[in-house]
Amino acid sequence: MALSFSCSASISPQHQAKVNFKSNKGLEDVRNLIKTVGVPSITCSPVKSLQNGNWVKLICGASFEDVVDIRNLSLVYTLAGVDCIDCAADVSVVNAVNEGIDAAIEILPLRRPWVMISVNDDEDLHFRKAEFDPEDCPLDCSKPCERVCPADAISLEAQNSTTQLSFHTNAPGAFKGGVLTERCYGCGRCIPVCPYDKIRVTSYIREAATTSELLKRNDVDAVEIHTTGRQIAPFKELWDGLADSIKYLRLAAVSLPDIGEATVSSMKDMYSVMEPDLCCFNLWQLDGRPMSGDIGRGATRESIAFALRLAAIKDRPHGFLQLAGGTNAHTVDGLKKVGLFETTSFHRNSRDEILTGTSSSVHAIIGGVAYGGYARKIVGRILSNLQSQHGIASMEDYPDHLLQALREALSIVGTVKSFPISNS
């Protein structure tokens, strides 16, 4: 499923040379906005953000592999001050993320966010692709799949050439196009709307050996394992396959859904598997409403409810807690209403004693929030506009678009970081 070309190969040759951003007057408004807002510098590390409860992670998508969009998303959200960028465990995608980060730091020397790659231990909603044969689609189809796709990953156009049918008759035409594999991230919205039931889903599991080699790179800082939490055996098999590369990391995360009363016991089982090899921080991603990408208040309720229930359990296993799944502009307000936003607790923490040399620590109960579909959507509109006007392009070459995208990114990152956001 992964793309076979690097990010730099997908952008025109003039962008492969280093651009002198400091002399580009068009980027001064971008720099001034960042300075006015007070985006964290190298003095505020991602670990400190987790401890303070204002960690923000951008989820590019475990299956999203459009390297041009990923590069530009990484550029924008690095400038907006995210602490981590989560992406597919693919060389081209990792390269794209790091190129976007490097471009952002060229504009203004902010501290570098961690780069995280996502893997799965079994079938998972985040690791699948839609597929169908466009020639099987009737020409009078209204193409609801194309309209409903949040990633613009479906393109259907009528072609005039005739198609030889199996019983030796010619059709007057057929559709061409179909699913753009690199853009599809497996949300599944296209499946129920297809009036002819033509769309299928293919699932896959990232290979542990390939992932392990990626984790040893000096530009990858973290791994996230997506699991159902219902079976420990596949989780242990994957962890054992990654064990020799964990020592290279700053963070090991586990993303899991709410499975009711069994959640904490499952977390404990997984932590017992991880603990012998852990020499870094660990995090639990509470995936309240996976793949929602919705903007309403209702979408985030499940993630907040999940967090509220776990926060109340005193004997939960070690690790930071972070929300995901349905998170949007209403998530922080929801956390504040239930008393979880930037609420600290005093406790002895053996893992932190090893890593920081302290005997006790003060941590926010909720370390932070990850934004996926919503974060991509609000900036994606500007990326689409950029591409329609200028084709495949690096966003820093079009400062007006970059400034607009940065304002959108700050509007969501700022809810967690408490930036003074202005609409001007």
Side-chain angles (χ1 to χ4, degrees), residues 179-258:
V179 178
L180 308 174
T181 302
E182 70 274 14
R183 293 194 62 83
C184 176
Y185 61 86
C187 72
R189 286 172 173 80
C190 57
I191 299 169
V193 302
C194 177
Y196 301 101
D197 196 26
K198 298 288 186 181
I199 303 175
R200 304 173 298 278
V201 170
T202 57
S203 300
Y204 61 94
I205 298 175
R206 297 282 185 187
E207 293 182 358
T210 303
T211 302
S212 184
E213 289 306 308
L214 272 175
L215 295 179
K216 295 174 183 177
R217 289 171 46 141
N218 61 8
D219 56 3
V220 174
D221 305 283
V223 67
E224 182 164 88
I225 298 174
H226 289 254
T227 183
T228 64
R230 298 183 183 279
Q231 297 184 64
I232 195 64
F235 180 87
K236 185 177 187 308
E237 181 180 356
L238 174 57
W239 182 263
D240 288 346
L242 301 176
D244 68 337
S245 56
I246 299 300
K247 61 185 177 184
Y248 295 91
L249 303 181
R250 302 169 186 262
L251 180 71
V254 175
S255 179
L256 72 162
D258 187 352

Side-chain angles (χ1 to χ4, degrees), residues 267-275 278 282 317-318 351:
M267 290 168 66
K268 289 179 178 179
D269 288 342
M270 287 186 282
Y271 187 73
S272 67
V273 170
M274 298 164 62
E275 188 174 20
L278 269 181
N282 79 292
H318 176 274
R351 180 65 56 189

Side-chain angles (χ1 to χ4, degrees), residues 105-125:
I105 293 173
E106 282 290 315
I107 294 171
L108 199 68
L110 300 166
R111 66 100 168 90
R112 191 178 190 88
W114 287 349
V115 176
M116 172 185 284
I117 58 175
S118 279
V119 294
N120 53 325
D121 66 358
D122 205 344
E123 286 194 10
D124 186 279
L125 292 176

Side-chain angles (χ1 to χ4, degrees), residues 115-405:
V115 176
M116 172 185 284
I117 58 175
S118 279
V119 294
N120 53 325
D121 66 358
D122 205 344
E123 286 194 10
D124 186 279
L125 292 176
H126 302 85
F127 297 82
R128 63 181 190 173
K129 300 280 189 181
E131 62 177 27
F132 64 91
D133 185 346
E135 293 190 359
D136 287 344
C137 301
L139 281 174
D140 60 354
C141 180
S142 61
K143 303 184 287 187
C145 59
E146 191 177 73
R147 296 194 304 273
V148 78
C149 179
D152 296 323
I154 298 177
S155 175
L156 287 170
E157 296 180 14
Q159 57 183 349
N160 295 323
S161 59
T162 58
T163 301
Q164 187 71 26
L165 301 181
S166 57
F167 25 85
H168 307 293
T169 60
N170 288 329
F175 279 118
K176 64 179 179 179
V179 178
L180 308 174
T181 302
E182 70 274 14
R183 293 194 62 83
C184 176
Y185 61 86
C187 72
R189 286 172 173 80
C190 57
I191 299 169
V193 302
C194 177
Y196 301 101
D197 196 26
K198 298 288 186 181
I199 303 175
R200 304 173 298 278
V201 170
T202 57
S203 300
Y204 61 94
I205 298 175
R206 297 282 185 187
E207 293 182 358
T210 303
T211 302
S212 184
E213 289 306 308
L214 272 175
L215 295 179
K216 295 174 183 177
R217 289 171 46 141
N218 61 8
D219 56 3
V220 174
D221 305 283
V223 67
E224 182 164 88
I225 298 174
H226 289 254
T227 183
T228 64
R230 298 183 183 279
Q231 297 184 64
I232 195 64
F235 180 87
K236 185 177 187 308
E237 181 180 356
L238 174 57
W239 182 263
D240 288 346
L242 301 176
D244 68 337
S245 56
I246 299 300
K247 61 185 177 184
Y248 295 91
L249 303 181
R250 302 169 186 262
L251 180 71
V254 175
S255 179
L256 72 162
D258 187 352
I259 55 174
E261 294 181 358
T263 302
V264 172
S265 62
S266 177
M267 290 168 66
K268 289 179 178 179
D269 288 342
M270 287 186 282
Y271 187 73
S272 67
V273 170
M274 298 164 62
E275 188 174 20
D277 303 306
L278 269 181
C279 51
C280 61
F281 293 98
N282 79 292
L283 177 149
W284 303 98
Q285 176 166 286
L286 311 181
D287 203 358
R289 186 171 172 178
M291 310 288 282
S292 75
D294 296 325
I295 63 174
R297 290 185 181 275
T300 196
R301 287 175 186 162
E302 291 173 54
S303 61
I304 294 171
F306 192 2
L308 186 63
R309 193 167 60 79
L310 272 187
I313 299 174
K314 301 302 181 184
D315 66 339
R316 65 180 182 271
H318 176 274
F320 294 105
L321 300 180
Q322 173 228 278
L323 273 67
T327 50
N328 56 35
H330 304 293
T331 301
V332 170
D333 282 344
L335 286 172
K336 289 177 179 178
K337 286 179 181 178
V338 297
L340 282 183
F341 186 65
E342 293 187 347
T343 302
T344 58
S345 63
F346 291 80
H347 58 278
R348 190 173 179 85
N349 190 322
S350 60
R351 180 65 56 189
D352 289 330
E353 290 174 17
I354 294 172
L355 294 168
T356 68
T358 59
S359 59
S360 63
S361 57
V362 183
H363 286 178
I365 293 176
I366 302 299
V369 183
Y371 297 101
Y374 179 74
R376 297 193 301 271
K377 181 184 295 182
I378 61 176
V379 172
R381 292 189 289 257
I382 302 160
L383 294 179
S384 296
N385 186 35
L386 172 68
Q387 186 167 334
S388 66
Q389 291 183 35
H390 305 288
I392 294 173
S394 297
M395 183 164 262
E396 67 272 21
D397 290 342
Y398 299 91
D400 289 346
H401 287 84
L402 177 56
L403 184 63
Q404 186 182 0

